[in-house]
Protein backbone atom coordinates (compact mmCIF):
# COMPACT_ATOMS: atom_id res chain seq x y z
CA UNK A 1 0.00 0.00 0.00
CA UNK A 2 1.28 3.45 -0.90
CA UNK A 3 1.89 5.83 1.96
CA UNK A 4 0.95 9.50 1.94
CA UNK A 5 4.60 10.30 1.26
CA UNK A 6 4.56 8.13 -1.87
CA UNK A 7 1.28 9.58 -3.06
CA UNK A 8 2.28 13.21 -2.53
CA UNK A 9 5.34 12.67 -4.70
CA UNK A 10 3.07 11.45 -7.51
CA UNK A 11 1.67 14.97 -7.69
CA UNK A 12 4.88 16.13 -9.35
CA UNK A 13 4.09 13.88 -12.32
CA UNK A 14 0.41 14.85 -12.21
CA UNK A 15 1.26 18.54 -12.62
CA UNK A 16 3.21 17.63 -15.76
CA UNK A 17 0.15 15.85 -17.13
CA UNK A 18 -1.98 18.91 -16.41
CA UNK A 19 0.51 21.15 -18.24
CA UNK A 20 0.56 18.83 -21.28
CA UNK A 21 -3.26 18.67 -21.36
CA UNK A 22 -3.49 22.49 -21.20
CA UNK A 23 -1.10 22.81 -24.14
CA UNK A 24 -2.85 20.07 -26.12
CA UNK A 25 -6.22 21.73 -25.54
CA UNK A 26 -4.85 25.06 -26.75
CA UNK A 27 -3.40 23.49 -29.91
CA UNK A 28 -6.79 21.99 -30.74
CA UNK A 29 -8.73 25.18 -30.03
CA UNK A 30 -6.31 27.62 -31.70
CA UNK A 31 -4.84 25.63 -34.58
CA UNK A 32 -7.26 22.84 -35.46
CA UNK A 33 -10.56 24.54 -34.74
CA UNK A 34 -9.47 28.15 -35.11
CA UNK A 35 -10.68 31.32 -33.37
CA UNK A 36 -13.79 31.57 -35.56
CA UNK A 37 -15.15 28.19 -34.50
CA UNK A 38 -18.46 28.45 -32.66
CA UNK A 39 -20.43 25.71 -30.95
CA UNK A 40 -19.70 22.04 -30.41
CA UNK A 41 -17.44 20.45 -33.00
CA UNK A 42 -18.26 16.74 -33.54
CA UNK A 43 -14.63 15.92 -34.39
CA UNK A 44 -12.64 17.80 -31.77
CA UNK A 45 -15.36 18.66 -29.25
CA UNK A 46 -15.18 15.28 -27.46
CA UNK A 47 -11.39 15.52 -27.26
CA UNK A 48 -11.36 19.01 -25.73
CA UNK A 49 -14.14 18.02 -23.33
CA UNK A 50 -12.20 14.98 -22.14
CA UNK A 51 -9.05 17.09 -21.79
CA UNK A 52 -10.97 19.63 -19.70
CA UNK A 53 -12.30 16.81 -17.52
CA UNK A 54 -8.81 15.38 -17.00
CA UNK A 55 -7.36 18.84 -16.22
CA UNK A 56 -10.08 19.58 -13.64
CA UNK A 57 -9.97 16.10 -12.10
CA UNK A 58 -6.19 16.16 -11.67
CA UNK A 59 -6.27 19.75 -10.43
CA UNK A 60 -8.49 18.74 -7.51
CA UNK A 61 -5.78 16.27 -6.51
CA UNK A 62 -3.09 18.93 -6.75
CA UNK A 63 -5.19 21.28 -4.64
CA UNK A 64 -5.49 18.62 -1.95
CA UNK A 65 -1.72 18.23 -2.01
CA UNK A 66 -1.24 21.99 -1.72
CA UNK A 67 -3.66 22.06 1.21
CA UNK A 68 -1.49 19.60 3.14
CA UNK A 69 2.03 20.62 2.10
CA UNK A 70 1.50 24.37 2.36
CA UNK A 71 -0.64 24.00 5.50
CA UNK A 72 -3.30 26.13 3.88
CA UNK A 73 -5.64 26.02 6.88
CA UNK A 74 -3.26 28.23 8.86
CA UNK A 75 -3.98 31.26 6.65
CA UNK A 76 -7.57 32.51 6.49
CA UNK A 77 -7.57 34.27 3.10
CA UNK A 78 -5.68 31.48 1.32
CA UNK A 79 -7.85 28.82 2.99
CA UNK A 80 -10.99 30.68 1.97
CA UNK A 81 -9.84 31.02 -1.65
CA UNK A 82 -8.66 27.40 -1.65
CA UNK A 83 -12.12 26.15 -0.71
CA UNK A 84 -13.78 28.35 -3.33
CA UNK A 85 -11.40 27.21 -6.06
CA UNK A 86 -11.72 23.54 -5.12
CA UNK A 87 -15.51 23.70 -5.38
CA UNK A 88 -15.31 25.70 -8.64
CA UNK A 89 -12.91 23.24 -10.27
CA UNK A 90 -15.12 20.35 -9.14
CA UNK A 91 -18.16 22.00 -10.74
CA UNK A 92 -16.10 22.63 -13.88
CA UNK A 93 -15.20 18.94 -13.96
CA UNK A 94 -18.85 17.90 -13.61
CA UNK A 95 -19.94 20.18 -16.45
CA UNK A 96 -17.01 19.42 -18.77
CA UNK A 97 -18.50 16.30 -20.37
CA UNK A 98 -22.07 17.60 -20.58
CA UNK A 99 -21.93 18.52 -24.27
CA UNK A 100 -20.44 15.15 -25.22
CA UNK A 101 -23.09 13.21 -23.31
CA UNK A 102 -25.75 15.40 -24.88
CA UNK A 103 -24.38 14.95 -28.41
CA UNK A 104 -24.22 11.15 -28.18
CA UNK A 105 -27.37 10.72 -26.10
CA UNK A 106 -29.63 7.88 -27.24
CA UNK A 107 -32.59 9.72 -25.76
CA UNK A 108 -34.35 12.89 -26.83
CA UNK A 109 -32.76 15.96 -25.26
CA UNK A 110 -34.36 19.24 -24.25
CA UNK A 111 -31.32 21.41 -24.98
CA UNK A 112 -29.19 21.24 -28.11
CA UNK A 113 -25.49 20.39 -27.76
CA UNK A 114 -24.28 23.92 -28.53
CA UNK A 115 -26.41 25.30 -25.70
CA UNK A 116 -25.16 22.67 -23.25
CA UNK A 117 -21.58 23.46 -24.26
CA UNK A 118 -22.18 27.18 -23.83
CA UNK A 119 -23.60 26.62 -20.35
CA UNK A 120 -20.63 24.42 -19.45
CA UNK A 121 -18.16 27.10 -20.51
CA UNK A 122 -20.10 30.08 -19.20
CA UNK A 123 -18.13 30.30 -15.94
CA UNK A 124 -14.66 29.73 -17.44
CA UNK A 125 -13.70 33.39 -17.10
CA UNK A 126 -14.72 33.39 -13.46
CA UNK A 127 -12.58 30.33 -12.76
CA UNK A 128 -9.59 31.98 -14.49
CA UNK A 129 -10.05 34.94 -12.14
CA UNK A 130 -10.11 32.57 -9.15
CA UNK A 131 -6.93 30.86 -10.39
CA UNK A 132 -5.24 34.26 -10.52
CA UNK A 133 -6.34 35.14 -7.00
CA UNK A 134 -5.26 31.75 -5.71
CA UNK A 135 -1.83 31.97 -7.33
CA UNK A 136 -1.31 35.42 -5.82
CA UNK A 137 -2.32 34.31 -2.31
CA UNK A 138 -0.32 31.08 -2.50
CA UNK A 139 2.86 32.88 -3.54
CA UNK A 140 2.35 35.64 -0.95
CA UNK A 141 1.79 33.10 1.81
CA UNK A 142 4.76 31.01 0.72
CA UNK A 143 7.09 34.00 0.82
CA UNK A 144 5.96 34.83 4.33
CA UNK A 145 6.12 31.34 5.77
CA UNK A 146 8.60 28.99 4.16
CA UNK A 147 9.58 29.54 0.54
CA UNK A 148 8.64 26.02 -0.50
CA UNK A 149 8.25 27.33 -4.03
CA UNK A 150 11.36 28.18 -5.99
CA UNK A 151 12.08 31.85 -6.71
CA UNK A 152 11.32 31.22 -10.37
CA UNK A 153 7.93 29.68 -9.56
CA UNK A 154 7.11 32.56 -7.22
CA UNK A 155 7.95 35.03 -9.98
CA UNK A 156 5.93 33.13 -12.58
CA UNK A 157 2.97 32.90 -10.21
CA UNK A 158 3.12 36.61 -9.44
CA UNK A 159 3.23 37.57 -13.14
CA UNK A 160 0.44 35.11 -13.91
CA UNK A 161 -1.75 36.67 -11.22
CA UNK A 162 -0.83 40.20 -12.32
CA UNK A 163 -2.06 39.40 -15.83
CA UNK A 164 -5.09 37.21 -15.17
CA UNK A 165 -6.76 39.16 -12.36
CA UNK A 166 -7.05 42.57 -14.08
CA UNK A 167 -7.68 41.07 -17.53
CA UNK A 168 -10.59 38.94 -16.28
CA UNK A 169 -11.95 41.86 -14.26
CA UNK A 170 -11.87 44.17 -17.29
CA UNK A 171 -13.28 41.45 -19.54
CA UNK A 172 -16.34 41.41 -17.30
CA UNK A 173 -17.18 44.87 -18.66
CA UNK A 174 -16.00 44.23 -22.24
CA UNK A 175 -13.10 46.66 -21.92
CA UNK A 176 -10.34 44.37 -23.22
CA UNK A 177 -10.22 44.24 -27.06
CA UNK A 178 -10.42 40.75 -28.55
CA UNK A 179 -6.91 40.91 -30.03
CA UNK A 180 -5.37 42.01 -26.73
CA UNK A 181 -7.33 39.40 -24.80
CA UNK A 182 -6.11 36.61 -27.09
CA UNK A 183 -2.47 37.56 -26.59
CA UNK A 184 -2.80 37.92 -22.82
CA UNK A 185 -4.72 34.64 -22.64
CA UNK A 186 -1.92 32.80 -24.41
CA UNK A 187 0.72 34.38 -22.17
CA UNK A 188 -1.17 33.79 -18.94
CA UNK A 189 -3.15 30.63 -19.53
CA UNK A 190 -0.98 28.71 -21.99
CA UNK A 191 2.56 29.71 -20.99
CA UNK A 192 2.66 31.00 -17.42
CA UNK A 193 0.02 28.73 -15.88
CA UNK A 194 1.65 25.46 -17.02
CA UNK A 195 5.02 26.76 -15.80
CA UNK A 196 3.49 27.70 -12.46
CA UNK A 197 1.69 24.39 -11.94
CA UNK A 198 4.90 22.51 -12.80
CA UNK A 199 6.76 24.61 -10.22
CA UNK A 200 4.11 23.82 -7.64
CA UNK A 201 4.51 20.14 -8.53
CA UNK A 202 8.24 20.40 -7.90
CA UNK A 203 7.55 21.78 -4.42
CA UNK A 204 5.05 19.02 -3.70
CA UNK A 205 7.35 16.33 -5.05
CA UNK A 206 10.27 17.31 -2.84
CA UNK A 207 8.19 17.70 0.33
CA UNK A 208 9.35 15.57 3.24
CA UNK A 209 6.54 14.16 5.36
Amino acid sequence: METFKDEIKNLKAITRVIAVCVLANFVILALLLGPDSVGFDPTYGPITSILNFVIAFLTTGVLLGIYVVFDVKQTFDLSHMHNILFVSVTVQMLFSLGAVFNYYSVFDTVLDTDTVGAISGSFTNTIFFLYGMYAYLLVRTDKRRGNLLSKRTQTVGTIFAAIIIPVQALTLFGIIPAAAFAGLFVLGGVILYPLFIIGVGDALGTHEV
Side-chain angles (χ1 to χ4, degrees):
M1 175 180 288
E2 283 190 312
T3 64
F4 175 77
K5 182 177 180 180
D6 295 324
E7 293 172 348
I8 204 76
K9 289 186 179 301
N10 292 336
L11 292 177
K12 181 176 181 178
I14 288 175
T15 57
R16 268 68 176 170
V17 176
I18 293 174
V20 170
C21 287
V22 168
L23 294 175
N25 201 31
F26 172 74
V27 169
I28 293 173
L29 293 175
L31 302 182
L32 298 179
L33 288 175
D36 296 328
S37 177
V38 178
F40 182 82
D41 184 86
T43 302
Y44 296 109
I47 300 175
T48 58
S49 295
I50 292 172
L51 285 173
N52 286 327
F53 176 85
V54 171
I55 291 168
F57 177 78
L58 295 180
T59 298
T60 58
V62 173
L63 288 172
L64 288 174
I66 292 173
Y67 187 84
V68 174
V69 172
F70 289 82
D71 203 11
V72 170
K73 65 180 180 294
Q74 297 297 327
T75 308
F76 175 78
D77 51 0
L78 178 60
S79 179
H80 183 209
M81 184 56 65
H82 183 96
N83 292 335
I84 293 173
L85 183 61
F86 185 87
V87 172
S88 299
V89 173
T90 301
V91 172
Q92 185 182 36
M93 177 185 69
L94 296 175
F95 274 86
S96 60
L97 297 177
V100 181
F101 279 120
N102 185 273
Y103 184 79
Y104 289 107
S105 176
V106 296
F107 303 103
D108 292 334
T109 57
V110 176
L111 300 176
D112 62 83
T113 303
D114 288 345
T115 301
V116 174
I119 294 172
S120 301
S122 61
F123 43 81
T124 298
N125 285 336
T126 303
I127 291 182
F128 275 136
F129 178 81
L130 296 177
Y131 271 122
M133 288 294 298
Y134 187 77
Y136 165 74
L137 292 173
L138 182 63
V139 169
R140 188 188 69 172
T141 302
D142 186 55
K143 287 180 177 179
R144 291 177 175 177
R145 289 169 47 190
N147 289 310
L148 296 177
L149 298 172
S150 67
K151 293 296 183 182
R152 182 186 67 179
T153 301
Q154 290 178 349
T155 301
V156 169
T158 301
I159 297 174
F160 168 74
I163 292 174
I164 293 299
I165 294 173
V167 166
Q168 295 304 125
L170 293 175
T171 300
L172 179 64
F173 301 100
I175 297 175
I176 300 291
F181 178 84
L184 292 171
F185 172 79
V186 172
L187 178 58
V190 183
I191 298 175
L192 295 177
Y193 177 71
L195 290 175
F196 180 67
I197 198 69
I198 287 173
V200 171
D202 290 337
L204 297 176
T206 56
H207 177 69
E208 296 295 334
V209 180

